[in-house]
Amino acid sequence: MGTSYQNLLLIGEMAPLEKVVAMAATDGWLLPAGPGRVALLPREGDLDVADVAAPAKRLSAALGTPVLTNEVIDSDAVIMTVYQDGRAVHRYVSDEAMLVDWFIDDDGRAMFRIGEVEYPADAAHPTGPSGADPQVFAPFGVGAVDRERLAAVLRGETGDAERLRAEEQHRLILEVLHLDPSALTTAFRGFHEEDRADASRVQRDTTSA
């Protein structure tokens, strides 16, 4: 079984973000991910999976700044989605082939599905990275970001002889962005308060309208 986690990257400082997150997002941990960058580790729900889309929509609208979600799926794929003004505007997938769900139907035929759509086995299916645009992700970084290097890492061109696991590729992406990988390569369930004195626990404010 591989590694899976979900979290969000917010633009801003810890103190001002705490109240907004409590009012507009969900409960979780906030911790610094770099100068002017904060990681939100939302609490998981069913199957130990955290919903990142809903808080990203709410927060991008409430903050007026873009929000980036980070998802690693079973060490197979990295998905990073940019939200602006309450909606998803860009999605990166490290390898589309890893999201293809193969199965045998009731008639014994090999099939695959992508999302909710099913296809016969001989249909073409996407492979490789999609949305690997460094211009979209560079603004989430800190300082001068090497966009050529970022583009290469997004495409999986890391110079390693073997294909990297998804969490390793995600860590490289974060390093090129000059972000703190330790803040953005973990999840609520794997976070230990004693390891980060600068973390802040936030819970949704249910008293606000």
Side-chain angles (χ1 to χ4, degrees):
M1 185 175 180
T3 296
S4 298
Y5 56 81
Q6 308 83 34
N7 57 55
L8 299 87
L9 175 66
L10 311 178
I11 296 175
E13 301 296 338
M14 282 280 289
L17 284 173
E18 288 183 21
K19 184 176 181 181
V20 179
V21 170
M23 293 175 62
T26 186
D27 68 331
W29 285 101
L30 282 177
L31 57 157
R37 302 293 184 269
V38 175
L40 169 60
L41 316 183
R43 189 181 187 116
E44 290 86 0
D46 295 339
L47 304 176
D48 276 341
V49 175
D51 178 7
V52 289
K57 291 176 183 177
R58 292 194 294 266
L59 283 168
S60 65
L63 294 169
T65 56
V67 171
L68 178 66
T69 64
N70 300 279
E71 301 172 79
V72 165
I73 302 174
D74 202 23
S75 292
D76 288 331
V78 184
I79 300 176
M80 300 169 68
T81 307
V82 179
Y83 289 80
Q84 180 73 63
D85 299 323
R87 62 189 182 90
V89 296
H90 188 85
R91 183 175 187 249
Y92 162 74
V93 179
S94 60
D95 187 354
E96 290 277 3
M98 294 301 172
L99 302 185
V100 175
D101 179 21
W102 292 92
F103 67 98
I104 303 297
D105 70 6
D106 294 339
D107 296 322
R109 296 173 301 184
M111 302 277 289
F112 69 87
R113 65 171 65 89
I114 301 175
E116 300 298 324
V117 182
E118 297 182 355
Y119 303 88
D122 59 355
H125 61 81
T127 61
S130 65
D133 185 349
Q135 308 305 323
V136 173
F137 297 103
F140 288 97
V142 176
V145 174
D146 184 337
R147 299 191 183 207
E148 290 187 6
R149 172 62 176 160
L150 178 58
V153 174
L154 288 168
R155 292 192 300 264
E157 300 167 2
T158 62
D160 291 275
E162 298 182 0
R163 180 179 180 273
L164 293 178
R165 293 165 69 87
E167 64 270 24
E168 295 169 338
Q169 184 179 2
H170 187 222
R171 177 175 287 271
L172 286 177
I173 294 169
L174 297 172
E175 289 174 352
V176 175
L177 292 171
H178 308 301
L179 298 170
D180 178 6
S182 67
L184 291 160
T185 57
T186 189
F188 181 97
R189 67 182 182 280
F191 179 73
H192 301 288
E193 182 179 4
E194 59 271 17
D195 293 338
R196 293 289 299 254
D198 54 355
S200 176
R201 181 75 168 88
V202 290
Q203 292 180 287
R204 188 172 185 183
D205 184 357
T206 58
T207 65
S208 297

